[in-house]
Amino acid sequence: MRRSTAVPSGAAAPDKGHRFRPDIEGLRALAVAAVLINHAGLTFLPGGFAGVDVFFVVSGFVITTQLLLELEDRGRIDLPRFYARRAKRLLPAAGLVLLVTTVAAWLGVSRVQWSAIAQDVIGSALYVVNWVLANRSVDYMAEDVAPSPVQHFWSLAVEEQFYFIWPPVILGLAWLGSRVLASRGRRATPTASRGFLALGLVVVIVVPSLAWAAYMTSERPSEAFFVTTTRLWELGLGALVALGASQWRRLPPWAAQVLGGLGLVVVVAGLLLQGEETPWPFPGALVPTLGTAAVIVAGFAATTSWASALLGRRTLVWVGGLSYSLYLWHWPVLQFGTWRWGDLSAAQGLGLVVLSFVPAWLSFRLVENPIRRSPAIAASPRLALSLGLNCTLVAVVAGLVLQHAVSTSRSTSADPGAAVEIAPRDLKGTVAAGVGVDGPPLFDSITPDPVDAVLDSPELYAQGCAVEVYDTGVKSCDSGDPAGRTSVTVVGDSKIAQWMPAIDAIAEANGWRVRLYTKGGCTFTDTMTLVEGDPFEECREWGEEVFRRISSPGDVPDVLITSGLRKGAVDEDGEETLEGLVEGYVGYWKPLTEAGTKVIAISDTPSPSAEVAPNAYECVAEHLDDDPGETCSWDLAEMSSNVAMRDAAARVDGTFIDMNPLVCPEQTCRAVLRNVLTYRQGSHVTATFVRLLAPALASELVPAVKAAKRRRG
């Protein structure tokens, strides 16, 4: 998923002296152009997503300047009027975009995506969608959720949260500063008050947020990109620039010219040289934010510098003024194109970005300006707040309606009792016969409904048993028969976790004590694997700790059950190979086998074909009237992940259980089999299907465990 950005709002506010700053509008234009180019798919500007960081600094500067002027001119801040200005400026246009996007989603995308889009629309309307996206970014069960058409609202949410807390913080710091200065016998002059505010801002917001950004970027990078707490320092940096306005005017013109030029070069260099691989927001965001701050500072003393002249050109000022509307519209327009044509080429992306100027300009002229310039609305904060809140309410209702449409559109063929049971005798033959002309119907209803496919997962995820992909902590969960005399340890990634509904049922029926260790994307191997092309250090660390625990004297299990989707691992020569994966399995399995553990590997389940992908359940939802059992099917091919587990099991006298003859009878995988929706996400099968196959798995698993228990005594 591309790093999504959003453009803050509001015209450039005047600094002390009410001087219009065209260079700030130019900064807006530069930032929004970078974002649009990046989102269009043009590769020459890999750091274009950093445009949002430019806007964070600009917004912090603009809002703080406005608040300081009011505080120093009137001795107070009219909070209702401040929030009313934000409401009439931001909410009508945002509400319109959210409403149009919701309708487009209802008309243009599969109903299986409606629920996630509805949640995002509601979160965007309430300006908390950045937290929604942060939670989703680390949710392994949300791995196949399509890019949201409103995910660009995440940074608007960050800004709105800043706007909500910053005025009261300024008032509190101003009050505290006046008391401190009075206690020292000093008068609260504007310079002294600003100095105290700057100190308070650094202590309360900038330093804590920057430190938290450094920690989160290192430990939880996906969340770090979205959450407010890692971004406040950027807005705080803009606020510090506003607080130091009187000092910046004293800069020598030559110094200001150098500073402005250098700042602009730094911003542009960051857009060109940084990219998706750059740790963000720390330290990556320091480049565009410090560069932006330098340009704004220089503009106080060098209004005729080449940087100011370049940024103040009429075209850039016009684009800067349109930037809020332009950004609101460009990302949904790109997503509408994706829904229509699939993955977009760079040319298509650029064309859609250019096309987004049309709704942006219309929205600006017909919605934003009339509301912003209305004398009646300007004279009544209550009316402005009411207008803004009602626009928000419309967007929330639109999201709720789309969410309701999910339940009302569920397939009438879905029937929780319609799954065809499999008798425990002659299991493989029974399943094979089930797809023949003499067997039960292949498809006459679907359980679960495709809309609920993602929810049809093992309970272990809701119980918090799974470790997220980039976490290193080790969790364990116990199940089965607590008093059982046979100890079974289950270790691996989501491919073993998907079999837990069956393993738990088998364990309870046979008196086994089960302990589960599972981590997203992490196969139980002592060699290095890769994640997104990079060394999966977190997996290696997690696996070492799990192995230490289960190989310790007194904790060695009777049976180890595992599975994995890996196709290779890094061997001794640093190459990712199948043999490296086999050796990695053996590295952990052999010591356990020598200690008396029976190793059992369960086959990896195949991925849907390109014709059925990205998700088999979406294919089913789109072909309910076209026999999805046949339309959404693909041929079973040999899988290197299973070759590796089979070979490794043979080397340690273990057992490999191949369930794929049952998952894909007669070498054909079907998204609907025996009235059951087989797949939920990617190559993961549904919990309902796993429970249906439990007797078949038991027929292989129970004898192997009993034999192992007898050998161990």
Side-chain angles (χ1 to χ4, degrees), residues 314-331:
R314 180 176 299 179
T315 301
L316 291 181
V317 171
W318 181 82
V319 173
L322 189 64
S323 60
Y324 176 60
S325 296
L326 186 57
Y327 195 82
L328 279 178
W329 284 102
H330 93 280
W331 182 255

Side-chain angles (χ1 to χ4, degrees), residues 13-189:
D15 60 16
K16 194 72 174 176
H18 299 272
R19 179 173 60 84
F20 176 67
R21 293 284 300 269
D23 58 327
I24 291 179
E25 289 300 296
L27 278 173
R28 293 180 187 275
L30 174 64
V32 75
V35 170
L36 268 60
I37 290 171
N38 181 264
H39 282 178
L42 302 178
T43 59
F44 74 88
L45 209 63
F49 59 85
V52 68
D53 303 279
V54 173
F55 274 101
F56 281 152
V57 177
V58 170
S59 290
F61 169 75
V62 167
I63 293 301
T64 304
T65 298
Q66 292 176 348
L67 293 171
L68 288 175
L69 287 174
E70 183 173 358
L71 181 64
E72 292 170 359
D73 289 347
R74 302 181 181 181
R76 63 184 181 86
I77 296 175
D78 188 338
L79 292 180
R81 186 170 293 277
F82 170 81
Y83 292 121
R85 288 197 301 267
R86 308 316 316 147
K88 73 175 183 178
R89 175 69 180 95
L90 298 174
L91 302 187
L96 175 63
V97 170
L98 293 174
L99 178 61
V100 171
T101 302
T102 304
V103 174
W106 177 62
L107 295 173
V109 301
S110 168
R111 62 195 179 94
V112 300
Q113 298 183 36
W114 289 355
S115 182
I117 292 175
Q119 294 172 22
D120 293 346
V121 167
I122 295 171
S124 297
L126 299 176
Y127 291 96
V128 294
V129 74
N130 63 313
W131 295 99
V132 175
L133 295 173
N135 290 334
R136 188 178 297 158
S137 71
V138 296
D139 183 0
Y140 192 63
M141 303 305 293
E143 61 181 348
D144 57 5
V145 174
S148 171
V150 295
Q151 71 181 28
H152 61 314
F153 271 76
W154 77 267
S155 61
L156 286 176
V158 170
E159 290 192 18
E160 289 307 296
Q161 292 162 38
F162 177 78
Y163 295 161
F164 184 77
I165 66 172
W166 185 223
V169 169
I170 283 186
L171 286 174
L173 289 174
W175 178 85
L176 180 62
S178 65
R179 296 298 184 273
V180 171
L181 291 171
S183 68
R184 297 179 179 179
R186 297 177 56 189
R187 188 168 61 89
T189 63

Side-chain angles (χ1 to χ4, degrees), residues 343-647:
D343 291 339
L344 302 173
S345 66
Q348 288 175 313
L350 183 60
L352 288 171
V353 161
V354 173
L355 180 63
S356 68
F357 273 81
V358 175
W361 184 81
L362 291 174
S363 173
F364 183 74
R365 290 295 301 272
L366 302 179
V367 177
E368 294 179 56
N369 278 348
I371 292 175
R372 186 171 52 186
R373 295 171 179 173
S374 168
I377 296 175
S380 174
R382 178 176 296 182
L383 179 59
L385 286 170
S386 176
L387 174 65
L389 292 176
N390 277 294
C391 290
T392 296
L393 181 61
V394 168
V396 170
V397 170
L400 292 174
V401 170
L402 185 62
Q403 183 66 61
H404 178 69
V406 175
S407 59
T408 58
S409 69
R410 280 185 168 83
S411 170
T412 57
S413 66
D415 180 1
V420 178
E421 296 296 335
I422 299 177
R425 62 183 183 280
D426 193 20
L427 292 159
K428 291 186 178 178
T430 301
V431 174
V435 301
V437 294
D438 298 327
L442 177 67
F443 161 72
D444 56 21
S445 66
I446 303 175
T447 304
D449 186 279
V451 168
D452 300 319
V454 176
L455 303 177
D456 196 38
S457 58
E459 294 181 359
L460 66 94
Y461 291 101
Q463 295 168 349
C465 299
V467 177
E468 298 293 347
V469 174
Y470 291 105
D471 288 347
T472 56
V474 175
K475 301 177 184 177
S476 65
C477 285
D478 296 337
S479 58
D481 182 357
R485 301 180 64 181
T486 300
S487 60
V488 175
T489 296
V490 181
V491 184
D493 58 18
S494 58
K495 284 308 183 75
I496 192 60
Q498 70 181 350
W499 291 104
M500 285 307 295
I503 293 173
D504 283 340
I506 296 168
E508 291 179 7
N510 291 274
W512 303 344
R513 289 180 288 111
V514 178
R515 176 156 293 176
L516 169 68
Y517 298 93
T518 183
K519 172 177 169 63
C522 186
T523 304
F524 190 50
T525 170
D526 78 345
T527 46
M528 181 64 71
T529 55
L530 303 179
V531 58
E532 297 183 354
D534 297 321
F536 199 174
E537 300 284 357
E538 295 86 353
C539 179
R540 188 71 178 272
E541 183 177 338
W542 178 85
E544 290 174 349
E545 175 59 21
V546 171
F547 179 75
R548 185 193 66 78
R549 292 188 185 188
I550 66 177
S551 61
S552 300
D555 293 325
V556 178
D558 295 317
V559 178
L560 172 74
I561 302 176
T562 188
S563 186
L565 54 73
R566 289 292 170 186
K567 300 177 181 179
V570 180
D571 61 15
E572 294 180 354
D573 297 326
E575 299 293 329
E576 187 182 21
T577 64
L578 182 65
E579 179 60 24
L581 182 59
V582 173
E583 293 176 355
Y585 285 141
V586 173
Y588 278 153
W589 296 0
K590 187 174 182 180
L592 292 170
T593 300
E594 293 173 347
T597 297
K598 173 67 175 182
V599 174
I600 300 174
I602 300 177
S603 58
D604 181 14
T605 45
S607 298
S609 66
E611 292 75 19
V612 176
N615 294 301
Y617 63 88
E618 288 195 60
C619 178
V620 173
E622 294 170 359
H623 295 90
L624 287 175
D625 299 324
D626 188 25
D627 192 358
E630 291 296 335
T631 305
C632 305
S633 63
W634 63 98
D635 294 333
L636 175 64
E638 184 178 54
M639 302 170 62
S640 57
S641 55
N642 287 333
V643 172
M645 284 189 286
R646 183 184 292 111
D647 290 353

